[in-house]
Amino acid sequence: AQIALRFGIAALYRRWSLRHVLIVNALLLVAALAGFVLFTHVVNDITLSLYLFAFGALQSIMLSTLSALCFSGIPHDAAGQATTISAVTQRFSLAVGIALSAFSLQWVRPDGHLQAHDFVVPFVGMAVLQSLCLLSFRSMQENDGTDIAARR
């Protein structure tokens, strides 16, 4: 999904503002993340594969846009520091998401004998947590990140 989107992401930035792309993408990601609770053992492999591809595409748009936004307005001589801060922040947020998911699974099923329905709380919890990014995206100005769209 990420390779396929490399060609289309520039068109997204030219057509809509970064604020709009981030808000719509975040809403779709929250819905897709919560949608994982609907999958049962009767879902065929093709449907699951297509869903995972679409989820990966949405995730790729989000990560690419946020990565690019980290460098918006950064002078060229400070790009090295911005790269380090961006990488550490992304790894930290991934680690927090994994830890919270593991904690919620432990809370739902302390004995460790997990079943499919035990994943409802972690998926819904991660969807709620991901929806919090909408607060910061809504506070963006329409012209924030225009230098990114111009470079693409």
Side-chain angles (χ1 to χ4, degrees):
Q2 186 172 9
I3 294 170
L5 285 174
R6 281 286 174 211
F7 302 106
I9 195 110
L12 280 176
Y13 294 158
R14 282 190 301 271
R15 176 123 167 91
W16 295 289
S17 68
L18 241 59
R19 177 182 185 267
H20 187 89
V21 170
L22 285 169
I23 289 172
V24 170
N25 192 58
L27 287 170
L28 292 172
L29 263 174
V30 166
L33 191 56
F36 278 110
V37 303
L38 301 174
F39 284 92
T40 64
H41 67 283
V42 297
V43 173
N44 65 38
D45 292 343
I46 294 172
T47 303
L48 182 59
S49 296
L50 290 172
Y51 194 87
L52 288 173
F53 181 84
F55 183 78
L58 290 171
Q59 193 71 21
S60 180
I61 291 170
M62 180 64 77
L63 292 175
S64 296
T65 305
L66 289 176
S67 292
L69 194 58
C70 286
F71 299 102
S72 177
I74 301 290
H76 185 67
D77 58 334
Q81 290 175 327
T83 300
T84 303
I85 292 170
S86 173
V88 169
T89 302
Q90 284 182 0
R91 286 188 177 96
F92 178 75
S93 65
L94 287 171
V96 168
I98 292 167
L100 289 174
S101 295
F103 175 75
S104 64
L105 278 174
Q106 181 65 31
W107 179 71
V108 168
R109 184 63 77 155
D111 62 4
H113 295 95
L114 297 172
Q115 298 189 19
H117 66 272
D118 296 329
F119 288 85
V120 170
V121 170
F123 277 126
V124 171
M126 288 297 105
V128 168
L129 185 62
Q130 179 132 7
S131 71
L132 295 177
C133 70
L134 288 164
L135 299 174
S136 62
F137 296 159
R138 288 193 61 204
S139 68
M140 290 175 64
Q141 301 297 315
E142 282 297 322
N143 62 345
D144 284 347
T146 53
D147 57 328
I148 295 168
R151 282 186 272 175
R152 297 259 175 180

